[in-house]
Amino acid sequence: MAQDKVTSVDVARLAGVSQSAVSRYFTPGSSVSKKTAEKVREAAKTLGYRPNILARSLITGRSRMIGLVVAYLENYFYPEALEKLSTALQAEGYHVLVFMASQTAGNIDDVLAEILDYQVDGIIMASAALSSELSTRCQAAGVPVVLFNRRQDDPSLTAIGSDNVAGARALADFLIAAGHERIAHIAGWEGASTQRDREAGFREGLAAAGRELYARELGNFEPETAREAARRMFDRPGRPDAVFVANDHMAFFVMDVLRFELGLSVPDDVSVVGFDDVPPAAWPAYSLTTVRQRANRMVEETVSALLELIENPGADAKQIALEAPLIVRKSARKPEGWAS
Amino acid sequence: MAQDKVTSVDVARLAGVSQSAVSRYFTPGSSVSKKTAEKVREAAKTLGYRPNILARSLITGRSRMIGLVVAYLENYFYPEALEKLSTALQAEGYHVLVFMASQTAGNIDDVLAEILDYQVDGIIMASAALSSELSTRCQAAGVPVVLFNRRQDDPSLTAIGSDNVAGARALADFLIAAGHERIAHIAGWEGASTQRDREAGFREGLAAAGRELYARELGNFEPETAREAARRMFDRPGRPDAVFVANDHMAFFVMDVLRFELGLSVPDDVSVVGFDDVPPAAWPAYSLTTVRQRANRMVEETVSALLELIENPGADAKQIALEAPLIVRKSARKPEGWAS
DNA sequence: CTGAAAGCGCTAACAT
DNA sequence: ATGTTAGCGCTTTCAG
């Protein structure tokens, strides 16, 4: 049988103090005498009392919950981010309320409305964009939002991500230096800022060498679509000798099509490079040359930006693009004389 | 500037009805006249009002939040489970509050206490076990708990998982039928029920054929430990000709040590089998023969068991061990005449 | 069907 | 430092 909930009143009664004394004991920074504290501590312990966070939040206006909107956990960049975000926030006394939402399912707005219903202190958008209407609503509700791994052309929105342009540019430079002639691209979903920035940076690198994309297919960040893109791109004469796949997640499927369906050698026949540096990229079966998104740094910046916004609602929005280093492994031919 | 929060009182005033009428309008199953409903709907819309779930929960005693305790998102079984659980719960009007906790870090008890502070309606333990003290506390607080992918010897605890014993047994039968002579095991963390059940089932299969484990090392469910275990086990004469690695996550690292460090062929020199059937197991670079945990079914059962417990606190606990089918791929030699 | 009133468990003035 | 009081925003009797 579910025992009755024990409240601060019960504790107060047992301890022989007022209910506010109990509240004070559990409120950091409140002043209670040693004597009272001891009585409360004891009574609370025997009763197994702990403050009701929800009741507290009703009056303080802080729920100590952060809404996290996330979509594709199949892209292993996100589980990693989720784990780190959750742990970091937990260390600060916050907890993550998860909302699954896919951009394409078009339910973002509903989901965001629900989040707001829970009176979260802040929101992290780790997938999908914010309609300007919702953005306004959050603003109105006084709930700060930070975009994780995406950005929007709205200077009032805080966004933390990598320098996708520079990262992809480095990939292009690397491929060109290695002497590749027919350089292609398998793109992710074009609604994503990461895709647009990566492609822009990559093209910029090609252009700087007086080159352009030899071929381009759409992979949409989805395994099956990426596989089909790879087949269309490579199963014909005059195939590319290098391909930049817009993220590692797709790159694995592309590599597998090349090696196991088409019998091509990577990197001897074709070089493959990706973006993100998710854990499997380092697995020897792939050994993918890619650009690292520094998840730890991204999480740190996201958490600190969010807490800053929560504590200081007037704080300025900021956009951060972290440096994203090239990670050279074996899936792409290296330029001559490249230090191993 | 953060606009003042709009409450039901504001809506009532604008609509020219009582505050209770507003509440009723937003409470499913309450009776409001068409006329009132319309007035409220309109007023709420122009004000952008939505009920405060936290305030509601204070009186109803239901927060519509489920606490999810999870540890290792690097094992790709869990992101998948998390995504599906969250989506399924969302569809039922619940949301997931995430708590990262590692068994080994020993902070489970603190974490669970925190969860309870949030007045969650239920708890899913997707990692780590429950001390009997905490179990009692949850019971006392009237918060139902369901164990996901683990079980404890406590018939009062609801637990949803796979039939690890039978699954591993099938693996042993398969390996023996294929004529393997020196069959080894790389174990996961021995504190986990999954590990104990899998090993027991595997040994049972060997015993039924009058055999026993040729070698055994501890991988602890950790990549580096698993790699070392593989090196110790295989980098010497008289190495095993087959190995059951306790989960897919470790099996990938073991395969890579065998193939890329020791130059062995899988499955020609050694057969490798795993457990879980996480997505990369199907990637051609691994093509791992394994046992499938049916994540969808597990999630369905978990959600329905939890909701049942929430709605009907007197409901009996149940333990479910879902059938876990053998998935034959290419990482292990097949018995002669095995239907491809 | 509707409004008035009570109160969920807590914190935050306000006195003392 | 402590107790008293007044709500936080909502649901739920209770009258009418």
Side-chain angles (χ1 to χ4, degrees):
Chain A
M1 195 82 324
Q3 200 170 289
D4 262 353
K5 280 206 153 53
V6 21
T7 75
S8 57
V9 177
D10 302 323
V11 176
R13 191 176 314 132
L14 179 60
V17 298
S18 77
Q19 182 272 334
S20 353
V22 178
S23 170
R24 283 193 190 96
Y25 173 75
F26 283 100
T27 307
S30 259
S31 41
V32 222
S33 70
K34 281 222 148 61
K35 212 178 208 158
T36 322
E38 186 49 32
K39 285 193 281 189
V40 173
R41 208 188 50 70
E42 187 125 328
K45 188 170 174 197
T46 66
L47 260 34
Y49 168 81
R50 305 205 98 213
N52 179 331
I53 295 201
L54 268 31
R56 169 184 290 170
S57 79
L58 201 53
I59 172 113
T60 61
R62 306 228 148 286
S63 63
R64 305 213 68 94
M65 296 193 293
I66 302 295
L68 174 64
V69 181
V70 79
Y72 299 114
L73 259 29
E74 312 96 82
N75 175 350
Y76 295 139
F77 178 68
Y78 288 107
E80 199 181 340
L82 166 51
E83 174 169 344
K84 291 183 202 300
L85 276 171
S86 182
T87 303
L89 253 6
Q90 220 166 293
E92 302 282 348
Y94 286 87
H95 287 278
V96 168
L97 197 58
V98 174
F99 293 77
M100 302 297 313
S102 53
Q103 184 78 65
T104 41
N107 57 347
I108 299 289
D109 282 27
D110 299 344
V111 161
L112 244 160
E114 280 184 60
I115 299 195
L116 261 12
D117 295 349
Y118 279 91
Q119 314 297 119
V120 296
D121 293 343
I123 294 177
I124 298 173
M125 304 279 303
S127 78
L130 210 52
S131 72
S132 66
E133 188 211 325
L134 256 310
S135 171
T136 311
R137 272 263 284 281
C138 292
Q139 209 104 34
V143 180
V145 176
V146 4
L147 268 32
F148 180 89
N149 197 33
R150 59 224 336 98
R151 55 176 193 75
Q152 284 178 242
D153 284 325
D154 181 342
S156 71
L157 243 31
T158 290
I160 312 294
S162 294
D163 189 338
N164 288 291
V165 176
R169 159 96 202 226
L171 247 15
D173 295 346
F174 180 80
L175 256 19
I176 288 169
H180 293 284
E181 290 297 337
R182 301 181 303 282
I183 302 178
H185 177 47
I186 292 181
W189 181 58
E190 293 171 334
S193 65
T194 45
Q195 167 57 34
R196 294 192 304 269
D197 289 349
R198 288 171 195 180
E199 181 163 358
F202 193 72
R203 284 179 184 274
E204 182 185 303
L206 296 186
R211 314 278 284 280
E212 53 185 34
L213 232 38
Y214 176 74
R216 179 187 192 277
E217 295 281 350
L218 195 60
N220 251 341
F221 291 141
E222 296 160 356
E224 196 45 43
T225 315
R227 271 197 214 99
E228 285 160 10
R231 290 180 194 119
R232 278 196 306 275
M233 185 175 272
F234 287 95
D235 197 10
R236 58 182 183 82
R239 56 174 158 70
D241 60 1
V243 58
F244 165 39
V245 189
N247 71 2
D248 290 357
H249 181 56
M250 291 194 297
F252 302 135
F253 296 96
V254 169
M255 278 182 76
D256 285 341
V257 165
L258 298 180
R259 300 185 296 183
F260 300 103
E261 284 186 28
L262 306 178
L264 297 171
S265 163
V266 174
D268 294 338
D269 295 322
V270 28
S271 287
V272 178
V273 297
F275 205 112
D276 280 346
D277 197 28
V278 296
W283 296 357
Y286 292 94
S287 192
L288 185 65
T289 291
T290 188
V291 171
R292 173 170 301 160
Q293 294 222 69
R294 307 205 279 179
N296 282 320
R297 291 284 327 276
M298 287 177 67
V299 166
E300 278 169 29
E301 296 288 353
T302 300
V303 170
S304 78
L306 190 58
L307 296 187
E308 166 72 17
L309 252 17
I310 290 173
E311 267 139 44
N312 176 5
D316 282 336
K318 60 180 170 187
Q319 286 77 37
I320 294 185
L322 292 166
E323 191 231 339
L326 178 67
I327 305 294
V328 177
R329 297 205 181 89
K330 298 180 185 156
S331 67
R333 194 166 78 219
K334 298 181 187 64
E336 296 217 23
W338 182 269
S340 94
Chain B
M1 195 82 321
Q3 200 172 290
D4 262 353
K5 279 203 155 47
V6 20
T7 75
S8 57
V9 177
D10 302 322
V11 176
R13 191 176 312 133
L14 179 60
V17 298
S18 76
Q19 181 270 335
S20 345
V22 177
S23 169
R24 284 194 189 95
Y25 173 77
F26 283 100
T27 307
S30 258
S31 41
V32 222
S33 70
K34 283 222 147 60
K35 211 178 208 160
T36 319
E38 186 49 32
K39 286 194 281 189
V40 174
R41 208 190 50 69
E42 187 125 327
K45 189 170 174 198
T46 65
L47 260 35
Y49 168 82
R50 304 204 100 214
N52 178 331
I53 295 202
L54 269 31
R56 168 183 291 170
S57 79
L58 202 52
I59 174 115
T60 61
R62 305 229 150 287
S63 63
R64 306 213 66 96
M65 297 193 294
I66 302 295
L68 174 64
V69 182
V70 80
Y72 298 115
L73 260 28
E74 311 98 81
N75 175 350
Y76 295 139
F77 177 68
Y78 288 107
E80 200 182 338
L82 166 52
E83 175 170 345
K84 290 183 202 300
L85 276 170
S86 181
T87 304
L89 254 5
Q90 222 166 294
E92 301 282 348
Y94 286 86
H95 287 279
V96 168
L97 197 59
V98 174
F99 294 77
M100 302 297 313
S102 53
Q103 183 77 65
T104 41
N107 57 346
I108 300 288
D109 282 27
D110 299 344
V111 161
L112 244 160
E114 279 183 63
I115 299 193
L116 260 12
D117 296 348
Y118 278 90
Q119 313 298 117
V120 296
D121 293 343
I123 296 178
I124 298 174
M125 303 279 303
S127 77
L130 208 54
S131 71
S132 65
E133 187 211 325
L134 256 311
S135 172
T136 312
R137 273 262 285 281
C138 293
Q139 208 104 35
V143 179
V145 176
V146 4
L147 268 32
F148 180 89
N149 196 32
R150 60 223 335 99
R151 55 176 192 77
Q152 285 178 240
D153 285 325
D154 180 344
S156 72
L157 242 32
T158 290
I160 312 294
S162 294
D163 189 339
N164 288 291
V165 175
R169 160 94 201 228
L171 248 14
D173 295 347
F174 181 80
L175 256 18
I176 288 168
H180 293 284
E181 291 296 337
R182 300 180 305 282
I183 302 178
H185 177 47
I186 292 180
W189 180 58
E190 294 172 334
S193 65
T194 45
Q195 166 57 34
R196 293 192 305 268
D197 289 349
R198 288 171 195 180
E199 181 163 358
F202 194 72
R203 284 179 185 271
E204 182 186 305
L206 296 186
R211 312 277 285 280
E212 53 184 34
L213 232 39
Y214 175 74
R216 180 187 192 276
E217 295 280 350
L218 195 61
N220 251 339
F221 292 141
E222 296 161 354
E224 195 46 41
T225 315
R227 269 197 215 99
E228 284 160 10
R231 289 180 195 118
R232 276 196 307 275
M233 185 177 272
F234 287 94
D235 197 10
R236 59 184 181 81
R239 54 172 161 71
D241 61 1
V243 60
F244 164 39
V245 189
N247 72 1
D248 290 357
H249 180 56
M250 290 194 297
F252 302 135
F253 295 98
V254 169
M255 278 182 76
D256 285 341
V257 165
L258 297 181
R259 300 186 296 185
F260 299 104
E261 284 186 27
L262 306 178
L264 297 171
S265 163
V266 174
D268 294 339
D269 295 322
V270 28
S271 287
V272 178
V273 297
F275 206 111
D276 280 348
D277 197 27
V278 297
W283 295 357
Y286 292 94
S287 192
L288 185 65
T289 290
T290 187
V291 171
R292 174 171 300 159
Q293 295 221 69
R294 306 205 278 177
N296 282 321
R297 292 286 326 276
M298 285 177 66
V299 166
E300 277 170 29
E301 296 288 353
T302 300
V303 169
S304 77
L306 190 58
L307 296 187
E308 165 71 18
L309 252 16
I310 290 173
E311 266 138 45
N312 176 5
D316 282 336
K318 62 179 169 186
Q319 286 79 37
I320 294 184
L322 291 166
E323 192 233 336
L326 178 68
I327 304 295
V328 177
R329 295 202 182 90
K330 299 181 184 155
S331 66
R333 193 164 80 218
K334 297 181 188 65
E336 296 219 22
W338 184 269
S340 96

